Amino acid sequence: MGKVVKFVKPVAPKGSDPWCSPIIREDGSTVSGGAAREMRLKAVGGVQELLRTTLENATRLASKKTG
């Protein structure tokens, strides 16, 4: 049997995910972390819309490279 290697997920520096970076709301309050991510997702129309847009863009780019 070969050597067993344990996968250790690398620790990302705090604040490295731009989707979770702080948002200052209209009332002046600050939202960060998961709540900020949810606000951003809602602003783009939800996860389904984000995926749809991403896939459309990827398809368009791939079509340009092959054609």
Side-chain angles (χ1 to χ4, degrees):
M1 210 175 197
K3 182 178 178 183
V4 177
V5 178
K6 182 179 177 185
F7 176 76
V8 178
K9 186 175 179 180
V11 178
K14 186 177 179 182
S16 66
D17 183 0
W19 284 79
C20 296
S21 63
I23 296 175
I24 299 174
R25 296 170 42 175
E26 290 179 3
D27 65 1
S29 61
T30 302
V31 178
S32 61
R37 181 179 55 243
E38 293 301 318
M39 287 181 68
R40 286 183 171 95
L41 284 171
K42 185 176 180 181
V44 297
V47 174
Q48 293 82 2
E49 188 61 32
L50 176 64
L51 289 172
R52 183 177 293 112
T53 302
T54 302
L55 291 173
E56 286 173 356
N57 289 338
T59 302
R60 183 174 31 80
L61 289 171
S63 296
K64 286 182 180 180
K65 289 183 179 182
T66 61

